[in-house]
Amino acid sequence: MLYSQYGTASDLTVTTVSSAPAGLPIHPAPDRTRNGVRLGMTLEQVTAIDGPGTLYSNGRYRRITYNQYFKASSTSGGGKAKIAVEVTAYLGFLFMNSKLVAIDVGGGV
């Protein structure tokens, strides 16, 4: 599990590593999401649990993302209504060779 903090946002990534770099603390990490998705699952298994999401693919990797905790506001000016949507959190899954290899959750404002 890796935690990254930058500005007003952060990411938490769960993946398997063959060896941790020297000096990093080693602690037990969660092995599944709140809904039960875990490393090694297929895309079909993940979407059966969390729904279709937004799928990206470049041939070697497939990635599915879910936006969570929307904050929407509307304004009007000049006779036209405008809607602004701010995503404050997301969940992402990375697949390689048809298996889930990384889980990433992040958020910020």
XYZ file of all heavy atoms in Angstrom:
809
model
N 0.845 -1.158 0.000
C 0.000 0.000 0.000
C 0.897 1.230 0.000
O 1.842 1.305 0.778
C -0.893 -0.023 1.239
C -1.794 1.149 1.350
S -3.022 0.989 2.647
C -2.015 1.100 4.083
N 0.637 2.149 -0.884
C 1.395 3.393 -0.973
C 0.443 4.562 -0.763
O -0.642 4.588 -1.328
C 2.046 3.529 -2.349
C 2.980 2.403 -2.757
C 3.320 2.519 -4.225
C 4.226 2.438 -1.920
N 0.867 5.529 0.020
C 0.073 6.724 0.267
C 0.851 7.920 -0.259
O 2.018 8.100 0.082
C -0.202 6.890 1.768
C -0.948 8.155 2.098
C -2.293 8.281 1.801
C -0.301 9.222 2.699
C -2.990 9.444 2.100
C -0.981 10.389 3.008
C -2.330 10.488 2.704
O -3.001 11.643 2.995
N 0.209 8.721 -1.104
C 0.838 9.920 -1.664
C 0.004 11.136 -1.300
O -1.210 11.137 -1.475
C 0.908 9.831 -3.190
O 1.572 8.678 -3.597
N 0.647 12.178 -0.824
C -0.027 13.429 -0.492
C 0.581 14.525 -1.359
O 1.797 14.648 -1.435
C 0.186 13.775 0.985
C -0.422 15.083 1.409
C -1.930 15.021 1.551
O -2.462 14.042 2.046
N -2.619 16.048 1.129
N -0.273 15.305 -2.028
C 0.207 16.407 -2.853
C -0.831 17.511 -2.844
O -1.994 17.279 -3.107
C 0.521 15.936 -4.281
C -0.524 15.048 -4.881
C -1.555 15.568 -5.648
C -0.505 13.680 -4.642
C -2.529 14.746 -6.179
C -1.478 12.855 -5.167
C -2.483 13.391 -5.939
O -3.460 12.575 -6.448
N -0.407 18.699 -2.488
C -1.327 19.833 -2.428
C -2.501 19.527 -1.524
O -2.329 19.160 -0.370
N -3.708 19.636 -2.063
C -4.917 19.360 -1.284
C -5.528 18.017 -1.664
O -6.697 17.763 -1.417
C -5.950 20.480 -1.494
O -6.271 20.534 -2.890
C -5.443 21.802 -0.995
N -4.763 17.148 -2.300
C -5.274 15.845 -2.722
C -4.346 14.738 -2.242
O -3.212 14.981 -1.839
C -5.384 15.810 -4.245
N -4.852 13.511 -2.302
C -4.049 12.371 -1.894
C -4.494 11.128 -2.651
O -5.595 11.079 -3.191
C -4.167 12.131 -0.392
O -5.500 11.828 -0.058
N -3.625 10.127 -2.692
C -3.902 8.836 -3.314
C -3.455 7.728 -2.385
O -2.429 7.840 -1.719
C -3.135 8.674 -4.635
C -3.837 9.323 -5.796
O -4.861 8.768 -6.225
O -3.357 10.355 -6.268
N -4.195 6.643 -2.386
C -3.833 5.438 -1.668
C -3.885 4.314 -2.688
O -4.924 4.084 -3.306
C -4.817 5.177 -0.534
C -4.551 3.961 0.331
C -3.244 4.136 1.098
C -5.707 3.747 1.279
N -2.771 3.624 -2.904
C -2.688 2.571 -3.912
C -2.327 1.256 -3.247
O -1.396 1.190 -2.456
C -1.632 2.915 -4.980
O -1.964 4.181 -5.556
C -1.594 1.871 -6.073
N -3.071 0.206 -3.602
C -2.791 -1.137 -3.122
C -2.355 -1.966 -4.323
O -3.051 -2.013 -5.336
C -4.035 -1.778 -2.466
C -3.763 -3.220 -2.073
C -4.492 -0.961 -1.269
N -1.185 -2.594 -4.227
C -0.670 -3.451 -5.289
C 0.320 -4.426 -4.673
O 0.711 -4.284 -3.516
C -0.018 -2.623 -6.420
O 0.266 -3.478 -7.524
C 1.243 -1.938 -5.956
N 0.727 -5.405 -5.419
C 1.718 -6.368 -4.954
C 3.080 -5.947 -5.484
O 3.206 -5.578 -6.651
C 1.377 -7.776 -5.479
O 0.064 -8.114 -5.035
C 2.366 -8.803 -4.983
N 4.089 -5.984 -4.630
C 5.455 -5.677 -5.052
C 6.341 -6.873 -4.737
O 6.092 -7.623 -3.790
C 6.020 -4.411 -4.360
C 5.242 -3.179 -4.769
C 6.015 -4.560 -2.863
N 7.393 -7.050 -5.536
C 8.289 -8.185 -5.301
C 9.236 -7.904 -4.140
O 9.596 -8.795 -3.400
C 9.062 -8.526 -6.567
O 9.783 -7.398 -7.011
N 9.656 -6.647 -3.982
C 10.486 -6.275 -2.832
C 10.324 -4.778 -2.595
O 10.332 -3.984 -3.529
C 11.953 -6.633 -3.068
O 12.462 -5.922 -4.170
N 10.186 -4.414 -1.334
C 10.013 -3.001 -0.982
C 11.367 -2.310 -0.989
O 12.375 -2.901 -0.600
C 9.377 -2.882 0.393
N 11.422 -1.056 -1.434
C 12.679 -0.307 -1.374
C 13.182 -0.206 0.065
O 12.380 -0.150 1.006
C 12.306 1.077 -1.915
C 11.064 0.855 -2.716
C 10.345 -0.285 -2.046
N 14.470 -0.184 0.220
C 15.079 -0.097 1.554
C 14.583 1.150 2.276
O 14.438 2.215 1.680
C 16.599 -0.076 1.433
N 14.310 1.009 3.557
C 13.913 2.145 4.377
C 12.426 2.357 4.499
O 11.975 3.133 5.343
N 11.617 1.702 3.657
C 10.167 1.861 3.769
C 9.639 0.909 4.831
O 10.019 -0.257 4.880
C 9.473 1.549 2.442
C 9.609 2.584 1.341
C 8.859 2.120 0.100
C 9.082 3.931 1.782
N 8.755 1.398 5.699
C 8.192 0.500 6.712
C 7.276 -0.528 6.060
O 6.624 -0.248 5.059
C 7.410 1.442 7.625
C 7.158 2.661 6.827
C 8.262 2.756 5.808
N 7.227 -1.708 6.624
C 6.374 -2.777 6.116
C 5.320 -3.084 7.169
O 5.645 -3.387 8.321
C 7.201 -4.028 5.772
C 8.204 -3.696 4.661
C 6.290 -5.182 5.376
C 9.159 -4.814 4.338
N 4.037 -2.954 6.765
C 2.906 -3.193 7.653
C 1.846 -3.967 6.878
O 1.814 -3.908 5.648
C 2.281 -1.878 8.119
C 3.220 -0.992 8.872
N 3.591 -1.224 10.166
C 3.879 0.131 8.492
C 4.424 -0.290 10.568
N 4.619 0.552 9.557
N 0.949 -4.645 7.562
C -0.170 -5.289 6.865
C -1.031 -4.222 6.177
O -1.181 -3.119 6.686
C -0.956 -5.984 7.976
C -0.057 -6.003 9.161
C 0.929 -4.885 8.997
N -1.591 -4.569 5.026
C -2.434 -3.635 4.272
C -3.762 -4.316 3.955
O -3.846 -5.547 3.939
C -1.732 -3.225 2.981
N -4.792 -3.538 3.692
C -6.078 -4.139 3.311
C -5.907 -4.952 2.032
O -5.118 -4.590 1.163
C -6.988 -2.940 3.068
C -6.229 -1.722 3.410
C -4.812 -2.095 3.676
N -6.636 -6.049 1.914
C -6.523 -6.869 0.715
C -7.763 -6.795 -0.161
O -7.853 -7.489 -1.148
C -6.212 -8.319 1.082
C -7.356 -8.983 1.843
O -8.279 -8.280 2.298
O -7.326 -10.220 1.973
N -8.714 -5.932 0.210
C -9.929 -5.784 -0.592
C -10.577 -4.434 -0.321
O -10.289 -3.816 0.689
C -10.907 -6.915 -0.316
C -11.444 -6.943 1.091
C -12.222 -8.191 1.401
N -11.300 -9.315 1.420
C -11.577 -10.508 0.921
N -12.752 -10.762 0.429
N -10.685 -11.471 0.946
N -11.446 -4.022 -1.228
C -12.184 -2.774 -1.037
C -13.360 -3.023 -0.099
O -13.675 -4.169 0.248
C -12.719 -2.226 -2.371
O -13.722 -3.122 -2.866
C -11.616 -2.033 -3.396
N -14.038 -1.968 0.258
C -15.220 -2.067 1.126
C -16.285 -2.983 0.518
O -16.981 -3.696 1.223
C -15.796 -0.669 1.344
C -16.964 -0.625 2.269
C -17.541 0.748 2.440
N -16.723 1.781 1.841
C -16.829 3.055 2.089
N -17.720 3.469 2.946
N -16.072 3.943 1.502
N -16.389 -2.990 -0.816
C -17.395 -3.821 -1.486
C -16.916 -5.246 -1.747
O -17.673 -6.070 -2.238
C -17.829 -3.182 -2.807
C -18.614 -1.914 -2.591
O -19.111 -1.652 -1.498
N -18.725 -1.110 -3.628
N -15.643 -5.538 -1.484
C -15.143 -6.899 -1.648
C -14.272 -7.146 -2.864
O -13.877 -8.278 -3.124
N -13.937 -6.111 -3.639
C -13.035 -6.278 -4.778
C -11.625 -6.503 -4.240
O -11.174 -5.796 -3.344
C -13.062 -5.032 -5.702
C -12.005 -5.134 -6.783
C -14.446 -4.860 -6.311
N -10.904 -7.495 -4.791
C -9.546 -7.769 -4.348
C -8.627 -8.034 -5.536
O -9.081 -8.349 -6.640
C -9.524 -8.932 -3.365
C -9.985 -10.221 -3.916
C -10.081 -11.303 -2.818
N -10.485 -12.562 -3.388
C -11.722 -12.883 -3.766
N -12.699 -12.017 -3.631
N -11.983 -14.047 -4.288
N -7.331 -7.868 -5.300
C -6.339 -8.103 -6.343
C -6.501 -9.514 -6.908
O -6.844 -10.447 -6.189
C -4.922 -7.918 -5.794
C -4.572 -6.515 -5.308
C -3.166 -6.502 -4.717
C -4.681 -5.495 -6.426
N -6.251 -9.652 -8.226
C -6.361 -10.949 -8.893
C -7.692 -11.176 -9.576
O -7.823 -12.092 -10.389
N -8.705 -10.353 -9.269
C -10.015 -10.510 -9.905
C -9.951 -10.105 -11.373
O -9.068 -9.360 -11.789
C -11.075 -9.675 -9.190
C -11.492 -10.203 -7.860
S -12.840 -9.175 -7.185
C -13.692 -10.399 -6.226
N -10.927 -10.551 -12.151
C -11.049 -10.146 -13.550
C -11.905 -8.883 -13.638
O -12.605 -8.517 -12.685
C -11.733 -11.247 -14.383
O -13.077 -11.413 -13.923
C -10.963 -12.562 -14.307
N -11.864 -8.235 -14.791
C -12.693 -7.060 -15.027
C -14.174 -7.404 -14.847
O -14.932 -6.640 -14.250
C -12.437 -6.501 -16.433
C -13.295 -5.320 -16.860
C -13.016 -4.104 -15.984
C -13.050 -4.984 -18.319
N -14.580 -8.565 -15.325
C -15.977 -8.979 -15.216
C -16.389 -9.142 -13.754
O -17.496 -8.780 -13.368
C -16.203 -10.281 -15.995
C -16.071 -10.127 -17.496
C -14.629 -10.002 -18.003
O -13.672 -10.390 -17.282
O -14.457 -9.488 -19.125
N -15.501 -9.686 -12.929
C -15.814 -9.837 -11.504
C -15.939 -8.476 -10.820
O -16.829 -8.269 -9.998
C -14.736 -10.676 -10.811
C -14.756 -12.138 -11.222
C -13.556 -12.898 -10.697
O -12.423 -12.427 -10.781
N -13.799 -14.087 -10.159
N -15.052 -7.546 -11.173
C -15.096 -6.205 -10.570
C -16.365 -5.473 -10.972
O -17.045 -4.888 -10.124
C -13.834 -5.394 -10.939
C -13.963 -3.937 -10.499
C -12.594 -6.029 -10.335
N -16.717 -5.515 -12.251
C -17.919 -4.799 -12.685
C -19.189 -5.458 -12.145
O -20.200 -4.786 -11.963
C -17.988 -4.658 -14.218
O -17.920 -5.949 -14.824
C -16.870 -3.776 -14.734
N -19.157 -6.750 -11.857
C -20.307 -7.403 -11.237
C -20.516 -6.859 -9.820
O -21.650 -6.802 -9.338
C -20.111 -8.918 -11.202
N -19.441 -6.442 -9.171
C -19.527 -5.903 -7.817
C -19.810 -4.408 -7.815
O -20.703 -3.926 -7.125
C -18.226 -6.194 -7.034
C -18.079 -7.700 -6.804
C -18.189 -5.427 -5.707
C -16.734 -8.111 -6.253
N -19.031 -3.630 -8.602
C -19.108 -2.164 -8.538
C -19.818 -1.506 -9.710
O -19.937 -0.288 -9.745
C -17.696 -1.577 -8.416
C -17.155 -1.677 -6.999
O -17.965 -1.763 -6.057
O -15.931 -1.663 -6.827
N -20.260 -2.249 -10.694
C -20.957 -1.663 -11.833
C -20.017 -1.348 -12.981
O -18.822 -1.631 -12.919
N -20.550 -0.740 -14.053
C -19.769 -0.567 -15.279
C -18.624 0.441 -15.214
O -17.615 0.249 -15.859
C -20.805 -0.148 -16.318
C -21.938 0.400 -15.534
C -21.926 -0.301 -14.207
N -18.725 1.514 -14.477
C -17.647 2.503 -14.410
C -17.273 3.055 -15.777
O -18.008 2.922 -16.753
N -16.095 3.699 -15.855
C -15.567 4.242 -17.113
C -14.326 3.433 -17.463
O -13.362 3.418 -16.706
C -15.204 5.731 -16.959
O -16.382 6.444 -16.534
C -14.713 6.314 -18.273
N -14.356 2.770 -18.618
C -13.292 1.856 -19.009
C -12.339 2.508 -19.999
O -12.766 3.139 -20.957
C -13.900 0.593 -19.622
C -12.941 -0.512 -20.030
C -12.211 -1.071 -18.811
C -13.704 -1.616 -20.742
N -11.037 2.343 -19.756
C -9.974 2.814 -20.642
C -9.111 1.613 -20.993
O -8.921 0.723 -20.166
C -9.084 3.850 -19.949
C -9.827 5.014 -19.362
C -10.303 4.976 -18.051
C -10.055 6.161 -20.114
C -10.978 6.039 -17.507
C -10.739 7.240 -19.570
C -11.192 7.167 -18.268
O -11.871 8.229 -17.728
N -8.569 1.588 -22.216
C -7.699 0.481 -22.600
C -6.665 0.981 -23.592
O -6.956 1.803 -24.456
C -8.533 -0.630 -23.253
O -7.702 -1.690 -23.653
N -5.423 0.486 -23.455
C -4.398 0.840 -24.433
C -3.787 -0.411 -25.058
O -2.712 -0.365 -25.629
C -3.309 1.717 -23.800
C -2.388 0.949 -22.874
O -2.582 -0.244 -22.635
N -1.396 1.621 -22.341
N -4.458 -1.539 -24.933
C -3.958 -2.785 -25.486
C -3.293 -3.656 -24.442
O -3.632 -4.807 -24.278
N -2.333 -3.112 -23.707
C -1.646 -3.890 -22.670
C -2.356 -3.791 -21.325
O -2.435 -4.760 -20.579
C -0.210 -3.401 -22.524
C 0.548 -4.207 -21.510
C 2.004 -3.877 -21.474
N 2.623 -4.687 -20.430
C 3.814 -4.484 -19.967
N 4.550 -3.520 -20.449
N 4.300 -5.244 -19.029
N -2.852 -2.600 -21.010
C -3.510 -2.362 -19.732
C -4.961 -1.992 -19.959
O -5.311 -1.383 -20.963
C -2.844 -1.204 -18.977
C -1.420 -1.457 -18.603
C -0.378 -0.916 -19.344
C -1.108 -2.237 -17.496
C 0.947 -1.149 -18.993
C 0.209 -2.471 -17.139
C 1.230 -1.927 -17.891
O 2.525 -2.166 -17.538
N -5.790 -2.329 -18.987
C -7.171 -1.861 -18.954
C -7.362 -1.202 -17.598
O -6.829 -1.662 -16.593
C -8.152 -3.004 -19.131
C -8.002 -3.640 -20.513
C -8.886 -4.825 -20.652
N -10.171 -4.362 -21.157
C -11.232 -5.133 -21.266
N -11.201 -6.384 -20.894
N -12.356 -4.652 -21.732
N -8.114 -0.124 -17.591
C -8.348 0.613 -16.351
C -9.819 0.973 -16.289
O -10.407 1.404 -17.278
C -7.484 1.875 -16.345
C -7.616 2.721 -15.116
C -6.573 3.831 -15.090
N -6.542 4.619 -16.304
C -7.015 5.862 -16.398
N -7.519 6.463 -15.351
N -6.956 6.508 -17.537
N -10.412 0.789 -15.123
C -11.801 1.192 -14.926
C -11.834 2.130 -13.732
O -11.160 1.887 -12.729
C -12.738 -0.023 -14.747
C -14.199 0.426 -14.798
C -12.417 -0.812 -13.512
C -15.172 -0.703 -14.973
N -12.564 3.234 -13.870
C -12.623 4.226 -12.801
C -14.073 4.518 -12.430
O -14.987 4.383 -13.245
C -11.935 5.541 -13.205
O -12.570 6.078 -14.362
C -10.459 5.326 -13.488
N -14.215 4.936 -11.187
C -15.512 5.313 -10.629
C -15.336 6.655 -9.930
O -14.467 6.795 -9.077
C -15.993 4.282 -9.606
C -16.156 2.904 -10.191
C -15.087 2.007 -10.196
C -17.357 2.496 -10.738
C -15.227 0.738 -10.732
C -17.511 1.234 -11.273
C -16.439 0.357 -11.272
O -16.578 -0.892 -11.797
N -16.146 7.633 -10.279
C -16.142 8.915 -9.581
C -17.143 8.833 -8.447
O -18.247 8.327 -8.611
C -16.510 10.055 -10.524
C -15.445 10.279 -11.563
O -14.273 10.054 -11.317
N -15.844 10.694 -12.745
N -16.739 9.342 -7.288
C -17.584 9.283 -6.100
C -17.631 10.653 -5.447
O -16.739 11.461 -5.622
C -17.025 8.272 -5.106
C -16.858 6.895 -5.703
C -16.096 5.956 -4.797
O -15.339 6.383 -3.947
N -16.311 4.672 -4.976
N -18.660 10.876 -4.658
C -18.802 12.099 -3.876
C -18.771 13.361 -4.756
O -17.891 14.168 -4.660
C -17.735 12.185 -2.784
C -17.681 10.951 -1.945
C -16.553 10.161 -1.944
C -18.763 10.558 -1.180
C -16.497 8.999 -1.194
C -18.714 9.403 -0.429
C -17.584 8.629 -0.433
O -17.538 7.494 0.306
N -19.757 13.468 -5.623
C -19.893 14.643 -6.461
C -20.393 15.821 -5.650
O -21.193 15.660 -4.738
C -20.913 14.396 -7.584
C -20.428 13.461 -8.638
C -20.782 12.124 -8.618
C -19.625 13.919 -9.653
C -20.356 11.273 -9.597
C -19.190 13.070 -10.641
C -19.558 11.733 -10.609
N -19.939 17.000 -6.000
C -20.474 18.229 -5.437
C -20.885 19.084 -6.629
O -20.048 19.441 -7.445
C -19.413 18.934 -4.577
C -19.946 20.142 -3.851
C -19.035 20.612 -2.736
C -17.698 21.085 -3.204
N -16.903 21.734 -2.155
N -22.168 19.349 -6.767
C -22.668 20.098 -7.917
C -23.250 21.422 -7.460
O -23.820 21.527 -6.382
C -23.729 19.292 -8.652
N -23.091 22.432 -8.301
C -23.694 23.729 -8.029
C -24.167 24.318 -9.351
O -23.643 23.991 -10.407
C -22.689 24.662 -7.349
O -21.589 24.886 -8.195
N -25.167 25.133 -9.267
C -25.650 25.770 -10.483
C -25.662 27.277 -10.294
O -25.918 27.780 -9.196
C -27.043 25.256 -10.849
O -27.961 25.586 -9.850
N -25.356 27.964 -11.353
C -25.381 29.420 -11.342
C -26.102 29.883 -12.594
O -26.195 29.159 -13.577
C -23.951 30.012 -11.334
O -23.272 29.567 -12.508
C -23.182 29.585 -10.103
N -26.611 31.069 -12.541
C -27.238 31.620 -13.734
C -26.689 33.017 -13.962
O -26.405 33.747 -13.026
C -28.765 31.646 -13.586
O -29.133 32.440 -12.485
N -26.493 33.314 -15.188
C -25.984 34.626 -15.559
C -26.169 34.819 -17.048
O -25.945 33.898 -17.829
N -26.600 35.972 -17.428
C -26.806 36.242 -18.848
C -27.917 35.406 -19.449
O -27.897 35.121 -20.632
N -28.859 34.967 -18.616
C -29.980 34.192 -19.132
C -29.688 32.712 -19.309
O -30.538 31.973 -19.771
N -28.480 32.276 -18.988
C -28.139 30.865 -19.163
C -27.740 30.263 -17.823
O -26.992 30.850 -17.056
C -26.990 30.697 -20.144
C -27.332 31.097 -21.557
C -26.183 30.784 -22.473
C -26.561 31.144 -23.897
N -25.502 30.785 -24.827
N -28.263 29.076 -17.563
C -27.899 28.366 -16.337
C -26.617 27.569 -16.593
O -26.431 26.989 -17.660
C -29.019 27.428 -15.921
N -25.726 27.570 -15.624
C -24.492 26.808 -15.720
C -24.433 25.847 -14.542
O -24.768 26.202 -13.417
C -23.277 27.731 -15.674
C -23.199 28.680 -16.825
C -21.993 29.571 -16.682
C -21.961 30.593 -17.801
N -20.820 31.491 -17.673
N -24.004 24.640 -14.808
C -23.862 23.646 -13.754
C -22.384 23.278 -13.647
O -21.747 22.932 -14.643
C -24.701 22.392 -14.037
C -26.180 22.761 -14.076
C -24.441 21.317 -12.987
C -27.087 21.634 -14.461
N -21.860 23.382 -12.447
C -20.466 23.009 -12.196
C -20.458 21.756 -11.321
O -21.142 21.696 -10.316
C -19.736 24.142 -11.496
N -19.699 20.757 -11.739
C -19.593 19.522 -10.974
C -18.138 19.342 -10.562
O -17.229 19.445 -11.382
C -20.052 18.304 -11.803
C -19.839 17.017 -11.023
C -21.504 18.457 -12.208
N -17.930 19.085 -9.281
C -16.586 18.864 -8.763
C -16.521 17.446 -8.204
O -17.309 17.068 -7.346
C -16.292 19.863 -7.650
C -14.949 19.682 -7.012
C -14.745 20.661 -5.867
O -15.465 21.672 -5.787
O -13.880 20.388 -5.039
N -15.609 16.623 -8.721
C -15.419 15.282 -8.205
C -14.421 15.377 -7.054
O -13.317 15.876 -7.222
C -14.879 14.333 -9.300
C -14.597 12.960 -8.727
C -15.856 14.249 -10.456
N -14.816 14.903 -5.881
C -13.927 15.017 -4.734
C -13.291 13.687 -4.349
O -12.488 13.635 -3.434
C -14.671 15.601 -3.520
O -15.784 14.766 -3.221
C -15.137 17.013 -3.817
N -13.648 12.596 -5.025
C -13.017 11.306 -4.752
C -13.213 10.383 -5.950
O -14.172 10.531 -6.707
C -13.603 10.666 -3.500
N -12.307 9.435 -6.111
C -12.433 8.459 -7.186
C -11.855 7.128 -6.732
O -11.081 7.037 -5.783
C -11.737 8.937 -8.465
C -10.243 9.052 -8.309
C -9.417 7.958 -8.546
C -9.665 10.243 -7.916
C -8.049 8.061 -8.373
C -8.303 10.349 -7.741
C -7.498 9.254 -7.975
O -6.153 9.357 -7.798
N -12.240 6.083 -7.446
C -11.747 4.738 -7.215
C -11.337 4.191 -8.566
O -12.092 4.307 -9.533
C -12.854 3.881 -6.592
C -12.561 2.412 -6.326
C -11.431 2.269 -5.297
C -13.818 1.709 -5.825
N -10.147 3.624 -8.669
C -9.662 3.104 -9.939
C -9.075 1.718 -9.789
O -8.505 1.369 -8.748
N -9.224 0.916 -10.848
C -8.692 -0.438 -10.873
C -7.858 -0.604 -12.142
O -8.303 -0.243 -13.230
C -9.822 -1.463 -10.877
C -10.706 -1.391 -9.667
C -11.971 -0.846 -9.745
C -10.278 -1.883 -8.447
C -12.794 -0.783 -8.630
C -11.084 -1.834 -7.325
C -12.348 -1.277 -7.418
N -6.667 -1.167 -12.015
C -5.770 -1.393 -13.149
C -5.629 -2.888 -13.384
O -5.320 -3.643 -12.455
C -4.398 -0.776 -12.874
C -3.350 -0.951 -13.973
C -3.748 -0.175 -15.226
C -1.986 -0.504 -13.475
N -5.841 -3.306 -14.630
C -5.765 -4.719 -15.005
C -4.615 -4.940 -15.984
O -4.405 -4.137 -16.889
C -7.068 -5.160 -15.692
C -8.272 -5.037 -14.815
C -8.944 -3.827 -14.697
C -8.724 -6.118 -14.091
C -10.056 -3.702 -13.887
C -9.835 -6.001 -13.266
C -10.502 -4.792 -13.169
N -3.897 -6.031 -15.790
C -2.850 -6.444 -16.724
C -2.981 -7.951 -16.886
O -3.156 -8.666 -15.881
C -1.471 -6.077 -16.173
C -0.362 -6.272 -17.185
S 1.194 -5.544 -16.617
C 1.865 -6.934 -15.728
N -2.916 -8.439 -18.127
C -3.122 -9.863 -18.408
C -4.436 -10.365 -17.825
O -4.508 -11.440 -17.242
C -1.947 -10.704 -17.892
C -0.643 -10.321 -18.561
O -0.611 -10.008 -19.744
N 0.425 -10.316 -17.787
N -5.471 -9.537 -17.945
C -6.844 -9.850 -17.523
C -7.042 -9.980 -16.020
O -8.081 -10.441 -15.566
C -7.334 -11.132 -18.205
O -7.314 -10.975 -19.597
N -6.062 -9.583 -15.206
C -6.175 -9.677 -13.756
C -5.959 -8.304 -13.111
O -5.151 -7.515 -13.569
C -5.151 -10.653 -13.173
C -5.315 -12.072 -13.643
C -6.582 -12.678 -13.096
C -6.716 -14.106 -13.556
N -7.968 -14.698 -13.155
N -6.675 -8.049 -12.017
C -6.544 -6.804 -11.269
C -5.190 -6.785 -10.562
O -4.892 -7.657 -9.763
C -7.681 -6.681 -10.262
C -7.694 -5.419 -9.387
C -7.775 -4.158 -10.228
C -8.842 -5.483 -8.390
N -4.359 -5.772 -10.883
C -3.018 -5.692 -10.305
C -2.839 -4.490 -9.381
O -1.874 -4.445 -8.621
C -1.922 -5.681 -11.394
C -1.923 -6.985 -12.167
C -2.062 -4.484 -12.325
N -3.751 -3.509 -9.422
C -3.625 -2.335 -8.554
C -4.999 -1.710 -8.315
O -5.831 -1.677 -9.216
C -2.683 -1.310 -9.138
N -5.191 -1.236 -7.095
C -6.395 -0.526 -6.691
C -5.960 0.844 -6.218
O -5.026 0.946 -5.416
C -7.121 -1.260 -5.550
C -7.497 -2.680 -5.978
C -8.345 -0.471 -5.091
C -7.978 -3.562 -4.832
N -6.600 1.897 -6.696
C -6.225 3.251 -6.310
C -7.459 4.018 -5.887
O -8.476 4.010 -6.575
C -5.540 3.965 -7.478
C -5.052 5.344 -7.095
O -4.204 5.436 -6.193
O -5.532 6.326 -7.691
N -7.373 4.676 -4.738
C -8.444 5.560 -4.295
C -7.813 6.902 -3.990
O -6.707 6.982 -3.455
C -9.201 4.981 -3.070
C -8.305 4.859 -1.865
C -10.415 5.832 -2.742
N -8.472 7.940 -4.408
C -7.909 9.272 -4.190
C -8.991 10.300 -4.075
O -10.168 10.043 -4.300
N -8.581 11.482 -3.719
C -9.531 12.565 -3.605
C -8.871 13.857 -3.229
O -7.684 13.909 -2.953
N -9.650 14.879 -3.251
C -9.148 16.193 -2.902
C -10.039 17.268 -3.470
O -11.008 17.000 -4.150
N -9.685 18.488 -3.160
C -10.442 19.633 -3.665
C -9.507 20.572 -4.374
O -8.310 20.520 -4.190
C -11.180 20.381 -2.530
C -12.333 19.551 -2.049
C -10.259 20.730 -1.388
